[in-house]
């Protein structure tokens, strides 16, 4: 980072983590596609120098730990990295390696663009309307890892503290059989997330940013996120945005007609509309009116659910890319958004598109837009030719179903002459 912008050489060193389960095979397919896109766009003038770093099961086998310090150091040094899926046990064992990477490197924005590619099976009647980008706060909320198991001295101490110091009724929690978790939501972290979402929307010509929250119930955490989001929009972006909070103020002072007139003027002048949606309603609108869910900015848990729900509308997690970014330091880890699918490991059947499109995001992030465009067109052409992996092909009547590596090869073929 120099003066707030990435400075990228023609031969950047980019660390990669293969991932667990199906990770190594989808990474092999993705790597040749990314290399082909760069080669097609720039010839010999540019090339990514890949550097493997370890995390997950491979790291445990080779170093005795799931997340070696050397991996964190390498990503911090080289700024940009890409990874496959990593194992996360449910209900026991170590906490998520994905969450650990995000928190240790302060990658506060989980960015997940979801768009529909023609030909991909979807449960929607008009899936072509799906084109949304979700900005999910990555470092706090219930994912902060502040929880205590039922029956532990810590849980009992917290139960007593809530009763004795904060006046919570003793019968509110069952002694000895209640687990506890904390949900921290802060002004600084909420504002930087919303700031990043608004800047993205303005840069890419989006029409709206929706603050998704559950502030009607959690008034000080989720409600705080909503309030701070509006504050950063109005205080830092001025007449480039128009907020629903402004609309409500004008409506209260001058009536609904005046507020509607101001909203119409804002839209006509191209100002970004910053609005809000209660989380459960946001899910409904994502299905019924996806074209109105342009850029979403939300808290950690809401963003997790919404990202997967949006992906389901556009072909599933196998089609959904993702990135974890700190826009202040420039650090970014691009990633497959699906799990490790260990039962399919080594069978050459899993869809590599998630990590491939994450690579497209990465190319665009480092300013290599020509290579990103080449890759995106190859995906469009391959899917239009109905060449797909089994996850999509089983829902299609006239598809050519190919394996993981063959799908990558098809993408490379469709780059020829691009």
């Amino acid at each position: 980072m120099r003066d707030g912008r990435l400075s990228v050489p023609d031969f950047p060193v980019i660390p990669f983590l293969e991932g667990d389960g199906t990770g190594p095979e989808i990474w092999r397919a993705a790597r040749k596609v990314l290399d082909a896109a760069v080669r097609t766009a720039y010839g010999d003038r540019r090339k990514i120098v890949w550097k493997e770093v370890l995390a997950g099961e491979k790291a445990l086998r080779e170093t005795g730990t799931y997340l070696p310090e050397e991996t964190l150091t390498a990503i911090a040094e080289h700024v940009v990295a890409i990874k496959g899926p990593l194992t996360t046990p449910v209900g026991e064992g170590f906490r998520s390696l994905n969450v650990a990477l995000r928190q240790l490197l302060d990658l506060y924005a989980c960015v997940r663009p979801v768009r529909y590619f023609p030909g991909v099976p979807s449960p929607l009647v008009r899936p072509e309307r799906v084109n949304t980008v979700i900005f999910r706060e990555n470092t706090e909320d219930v994912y902060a890892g502040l929880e205590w198991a039922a029956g532990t001295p810590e849980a009992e101490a917290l139960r007593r503290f809530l009763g004795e110091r904060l006046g919570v009724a003793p019968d509110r929690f069952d002694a000895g059989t209640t687990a506890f978790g904390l949900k921290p939501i802060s002004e600084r972290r909420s504002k930087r997330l919303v700031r990043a979402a608004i800047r993205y929307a303005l840069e890419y010509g989006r029409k709206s940013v929706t603050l998704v929250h559950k502030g009607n119930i959690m008034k000080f955490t989720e409600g705080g996120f909503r309030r701070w989001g509006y504050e950063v929009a109005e205080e830092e972006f001025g007449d480039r945005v128009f907020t629903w909070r402004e609309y409500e103020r004008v409506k209260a002072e001058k009536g609904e007609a005046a507020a509607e007139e101001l909203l119409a003027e804002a839209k006509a002048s191209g100002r970004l509309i910053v609005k809000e949606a209660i989380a459960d309603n946001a899910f409904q609108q994502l299905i019924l009116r996806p074209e109105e869910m342009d850029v979403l900015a939300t808290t950690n848990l809401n963003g997790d659910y919404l990202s997967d729900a949006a992906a389901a509308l556009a072909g599933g997690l196998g089609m959904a890319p993702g990135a974890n970014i700190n826009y202040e330091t420039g650090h970014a880890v691009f990633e497959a958004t699906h799990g490790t699918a260990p039962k399919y490991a080594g069978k050459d059947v899993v869809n590599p598109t998630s990590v491939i499109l994450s690579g497209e995001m990465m190319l665009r992030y480092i300013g290599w837009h020509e290579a990103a465009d080449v890759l995106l067109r190859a995906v469009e052409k391959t899917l239009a030719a109905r060449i797909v992996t089994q996850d999509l092909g089983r829902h299609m009547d006239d598809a050519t179903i190919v394996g993981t590596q063959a799908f990558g090869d098809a993408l490379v073929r469709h780059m020829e002459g691009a």
Side-chain angles (χ1 to χ4, degrees), residues 140-185:
E140 48 185 6
D141 198 0
V142 293
Y143 282 65
L146 302 174
E147 61 175 354
W148 297 272
T152 61
E154 294 82 2
E156 181 59 22
L158 182 56
R159 188 186 71 84
R160 288 197 305 270
F161 175 83
L162 292 171
E164 296 168 4
R165 300 291 297 276
L166 300 182
V168 179
D171 60 354
R172 187 72 176 272
F173 310 111
D174 295 334
T177 59
T178 300
F180 291 91
L182 294 185
K183 177 188 174 74
I185 300 287

Side-chain angles (χ1 to χ4, degrees), residues 68-377:
E69 188 65 34
E70 293 81 1
T71 295
L72 295 172
T73 300
I75 296 175
E77 177 183 353
H78 295 290
V79 185
V80 173
I82 189 168
K83 61 176 280 296
L86 293 172
T87 296
T88 299
V90 177
E92 60 184 3
F94 60 87
R95 292 194 182 275
S96 168
L97 293 173
N98 295 317
V99 173
L101 282 168
R102 295 165 188 168
Q103 293 180 343
L104 291 170
L105 295 169
D106 199 23
L107 305 174
Y108 62 83
C110 180
V111 185
R112 292 193 177 180
V114 179
R115 57 158 289 189
Y116 176 73
F117 290 91
V120 174
S122 168
L124 293 185
V125 175
R126 294 180 56 194
E128 68 278 1
R129 298 183 299 168
V130 176
N131 188 354
T132 189
V133 183
I134 298 169
F135 275 71
R136 165 191 171 195
E137 204 290 320
N138 239 352
T139 65
E140 48 185 6
D141 198 0
V142 293
Y143 282 65
L146 302 174
E147 61 175 354
W148 297 272
T152 61
E154 294 82 2
E156 181 59 22
L158 182 56
R159 188 186 71 84
R160 288 197 305 270
F161 175 83
L162 292 171
E164 296 168 4
R165 300 291 297 276
L166 300 182
V168 179
D171 60 354
R172 187 72 176 272
F173 310 111
D174 295 334
T177 59
T178 300
F180 291 91
L182 294 185
K183 177 188 174 74
I185 300 287
S186 68
E187 178 180 2
R188 178 179 70 88
R189 298 185 186 207
S190 296
K191 283 187 171 180
R192 68 179 182 177
L193 184 279
V194 176
R195 182 181 300 116
I198 292 175
R199 284 177 176 168
Y200 178 97
L202 290 170
E203 180 178 355
Y204 287 97
R206 294 280 179 156
K207 294 180 180 180
S208 69
V209 171
T210 302
L211 306 174
V212 180
H213 62 86
K214 195 64 179 170
N216 56 328
I217 304 299
M218 290 169 274
K219 300 184 184 299
F220 305 122
T221 51
E222 302 268 334
F225 177 86
R226 168 189 176 274
R227 183 176 71 255
W228 295 321
Y230 277 137
E231 286 178 2
V232 76
E234 294 173 5
E235 294 170 6
E236 298 184 19
F237 294 92
D239 59 5
R240 301 181 70 189
V241 306
F242 181 79
T243 72
W244 274 18
R245 193 167 70 166
E246 292 180 76
Y247 177 96
E248 292 299 331
R249 284 199 296 264
V250 173
K251 181 180 175 181
E253 295 171 4
K254 301 180 179 180
E256 186 173 358
E260 284 293 330
E261 182 179 353
L262 200 59
L263 175 60
E265 290 176 0
K267 290 181 177 179
S269 64
R271 291 168 71 181
L272 181 72
I273 306 302
V274 179
K275 52 186 180 176
E276 65 179 275
I278 300 297
D280 43 342
N281 183 53
F283 278 90
Q284 175 181 241
Q285 299 309 317
L286 190 61
I287 297 169
L288 296 179
R289 294 201 291 270
E291 68 278 6
E292 296 182 12
M293 308 300 279
D294 198 351
V295 175
L296 308 181
T298 187
T299 51
N300 207 333
L301 185 60
N302 290 334
D304 197 357
Y305 294 154
L306 280 164
S307 298
D308 285 13
L313 305 179
L317 285 175
M319 299 296 298
N324 303 288
I325 303 173
N326 184 318
Y327 286 96
E328 297 165 352
T329 66
H331 287 93
V333 176
F334 297 82
E335 65 177 354
T337 60
H338 53 73
T340 57
K343 71 177 182 178
Y344 295 114
K347 296 181 179 179
D348 191 47
V349 297
V350 174
N351 188 349
T353 306
S354 177
V355 74
I356 288 170
L357 289 178
S358 298
E360 183 265 342
M361 289 180 69
M362 183 188 75
L363 292 172
R364 218 168 282 286
Y365 183 74
I366 66 174
W368 292 12
H369 298 286
E370 299 84 357
D373 291 340
V374 166
L375 193 157
L376 200 56
R377 285 196 295 270

Side-chain angles (χ1 to χ4, degrees), residues 29-37 39-40 374 378 382 405-417:
R31 177 172 176 169
K32 62 186 173 186
V33 170
L34 292 170
D35 285 341
R39 187 170 59 250
T40 301
V374 166
T382 304
Q405 304 310 313
F407 183 77
D409 293 337
L411 291 175
V412 173
R413 286 197 304 274
H414 279 109
M415 291 180 194
E416 295 175 358

